[in-house]
Amino acid sequence: MGILDLISLSIRMFKNRPLRTFLTVLGVSVGIGTVLFLVSLGYGLQKTILSRITTADSLLSLDVSPGAERLITLTDKDVEEISRIKEVEEVSVSIHLTGQLAANDLTGDGLVEAVDPSFFRLSGLRADKGEMFESDNRYEAVISTAGARLFNLDSEQVIGENISLVLFVPKLSEEGFEEVEVAKREEEYKIVGVIENESANYIFIPRRTISDLGISQYNELKVKVSANEHIAGVRDEIIDKGFLVSSLSDTIDQANKIFRIIQIILALFGLVALVVSAIGMFNTMTITLLERINEIGIMRAIGVTGRDIRLLFLMESAIMGFLGGVGGIIVGYLASKAANIGINILARIFGGQSLDLFYNPPWFIAVIIVFSTLIGFITGVYPSNKAGKLNPLTALRYK
């Protein structure tokens, strides 16, 4: 029996038993759709969260801070030495100061971070509203949402506001004692961006705008490495100099491991529905075998081999599995779109942002199709073997 004959006989089930075949395929579709829905939720959460905390440059950056032996801060000499390390492409510095912020006749204390514009890119920081400043000599600033609320302003209202600063700069006296110099900035800073952070009150300003204060010691460095494979080597060299070094890529790796576990757990929940669907499909194929015993006897009597009978049943079950996979993709896609719309409506009602919480990698769609076809094939193995071993005379006498 040729392959075209097998396919032609296999699709007869849609004509002879349309309702049963449709319900069987629908059951598989629901199982596959459930798996797709839950796994795509896991991938969507991973993609959404990681895209908000990192950028490509930040994954190649190391966070350098003073170690236990360096009681004060990093110095210009340290920055120069680190910049000369092979495979280091860029170094961005940050100075942490405390200060008073004033706007709209309101004054409050907060953390002031004087940074190079590249610090945002290497940190993976992004503006929730507005933009990050790109010039190091303009009097522009980026504030946190907690800092904006200090002046009774929300994220949109604070954009364009002018903030005056009084900085408290630590200095060492001639006797070696630490003193605090009060430095009032004559120029006001214009807020150009807002970072979403309700728990910390801080403001970023360009480092060069406080260059007149003569600060040459830093609290933190962002060190960009040329390639991912060089991160470990550069990290070891910086640690050997007595600094503490951490990397966002380490955090991302740990987060990815956690998300893989979440995806596996979600997939296992979906597999429960798929197992139920597979049992239903097995039941359908078994009933089909019992109904077609006489037909099998006639086919065997006219010369159809047991191997062809087995292939016929396997082809039918594989086709149903394939169609169940296609239907499952449609069901999962529609369910994820409906759930995403519902979640975003609730988010907007409660003042949140609209997000796409579902993501389907193309390779996973292909795996779903192959997997569902394989499930159909497996559920047809037992009925096909039983059909292939039937004695033609026994089959013809069966009622």
Side-chain angles (χ1 to χ4, degrees):
M1 187 180 295
I3 185 68
L4 294 178
D5 295 324
L6 284 172
I7 295 175
S8 176
L9 289 172
S10 297
I11 61 177
R12 285 189 311 155
M13 56 186 173
F14 294 102
K15 296 179 181 178
N16 298 337
R17 303 169 188 86
L19 181 60
R20 182 196 301 170
T21 304
F22 171 76
L23 292 176
T24 303
V25 172
L26 180 61
V28 177
S29 298
V30 171
I32 292 291
T34 303
V35 174
L36 182 65
F37 177 86
L38 293 174
V39 173
S40 65
L41 175 61
Y43 276 111
L45 290 174
Q46 179 182 12
K47 183 180 179 182
T48 299
I49 293 174
L50 296 185
S51 66
R52 287 180 167 267
I53 65 174
T54 186
T55 60
D57 285 332
S58 65
L59 291 176
L60 295 174
S61 299
L62 298 172
D63 298 332
V64 180
S65 56
E69 299 177 359
R70 298 177 179 266
L71 301 179
I72 304 178
T73 50
L74 294 147
T75 65
D76 284 330
K77 180 181 178 182
D78 298 320
V79 174
E80 185 177 348
E81 289 180 358
I82 292 174
S83 299
R84 287 202 298 263
I85 295 176
K86 188 178 180 181
E87 307 300 343
V88 170
E89 286 190 345
E90 188 176 5
V91 177
S92 186
V93 306
S94 172
I95 302 170
H96 299 175
L97 300 170
T98 56
Q100 284 187 340
L101 290 66
N104 295 334
D105 298 325
L106 296 173
T107 302
D109 297 328
L111 175 65
V112 179
E113 294 194 41
V115 300
D116 298 325
S118 60
F119 187 87
F120 300 124
R121 173 169 46 84
L122 300 184
S123 301
L125 290 173
R126 296 174 177 174
D128 180 57
K129 299 292 182 181
E131 59 186 9
M132 299 299 200
F133 56 76
E134 298 179 354
S135 175
D136 58 359
N137 56 9
R138 292 181 183 175
Y139 281 80
E140 298 176 336
V142 176
I143 197 169
S144 68
T145 50
R149 294 190 185 282
L150 185 69
F151 308 111
N152 296 325
L153 299 172
D154 59 28
S155 298
E156 295 180 352
Q157 293 172 329
V158 78
I159 301 292
E161 288 289 328
N162 292 321
I163 303 288
S164 60
L165 295 178
V166 176
L167 303 177
F168 304 119
V169 184
K171 298 279 187 178
L172 287 178
S173 66
E174 295 180 357
E175 293 79 16
F177 296 105
E178 185 173 305
E179 298 178 343
V180 176
E181 176 186 337
V182 179
K184 177 174 172 56
R185 310 311 293 159
E186 299 299 328
E187 191 89 23
E188 291 186 336
Y189 288 83
K190 180 181 180 180
I191 301 298
V192 296
V194 181
I195 296 175
E196 181 69 31
N197 192 324
E198 295 288 349
S199 59
N201 173 22
Y202 57 81
I203 186 171
F204 287 100
I205 62 173
R207 181 170 65 95
R208 282 190 60 182
T209 61
I210 61 168
S211 58
D212 57 302
L213 299 180
I215 302 174
S216 59
Q217 297 175 329
Y218 314 112
N219 300 90
E220 183 183 1
L221 301 181
K222 294 289 183 182
V223 179
K224 183 184 176 184
V225 182
S226 60
N228 187 64
E229 57 268 22
H230 301 307
I231 288 179
V234 174
R235 188 209 312 256
D236 292 340
E237 285 194 54
I238 298 176
I239 290 176
D240 290 340
K241 297 179 182 294
F243 299 110
L244 296 177
V245 183
S246 62
S247 173
L248 181 60
S249 60
D250 296 335
T251 304
I252 298 300
D253 289 340
Q254 291 298 319
N256 283 329
K257 291 177 182 178
I258 294 172
F259 277 115
R260 287 192 199 102
I261 295 173
I262 293 173
Q263 289 159 7
I264 291 172
I265 293 173
L266 292 174
L268 289 176
F269 280 116
L271 284 175
V272 174
L274 184 57
V275 168
V276 175
S277 302
I279 293 172
M281 186 172 175
F282 176 79
N283 182 61
T284 297
M285 294 303 301
T286 304
I287 294 174
T288 300
L289 169 63
L290 296 175
E291 291 178 344
R292 296 167 63 182
I293 288 179
N294 286 124
E295 179 185 326
I296 293 170
I298 295 171
M299 294 175 70
R300 292 297 305 276
I302 62 175
V304 178
T305 65
R307 176 178 175 275
D308 288 334
I309 296 296
R310 283 193 291 269
L311 287 175
L312 176 61
F313 274 79
L314 288 174
M315 182 76 72
E316 289 184 6
S317 59
I319 289 174
M320 283 197 290
F322 173 79
L323 294 176
V326 174
I329 292 173
I330 296 172
V331 170
Y333 176 80
L334 294 177
S336 62
K337 285 297 181 183
N340 201 67
I341 292 172
I343 292 171
N344 284 330
I345 290 174
L346 290 176
R348 285 193 291 270
I349 290 174
F350 291 102
Q353 292 183 334
S354 297
L355 297 172
D356 191 356
L357 296 178
F358 295 86
Y359 173 67
N360 298 313
W363 66 267
F364 186 67
I365 299 296
V367 168
I368 283 287
I369 295 291
V370 174
F371 182 69
S372 62
T373 305
L374 182 62
I375 290 293
F377 181 86
I378 291 173
T379 57
V381 169
Y382 176 77
S384 68
N385 284 333
K386 292 285 288 183
K389 293 178 181 178
L390 282 174
N391 184 286
L393 292 177
T394 303
L396 287 170
R397 288 198 299 262
Y398 180 83
K399 292 183 181 180

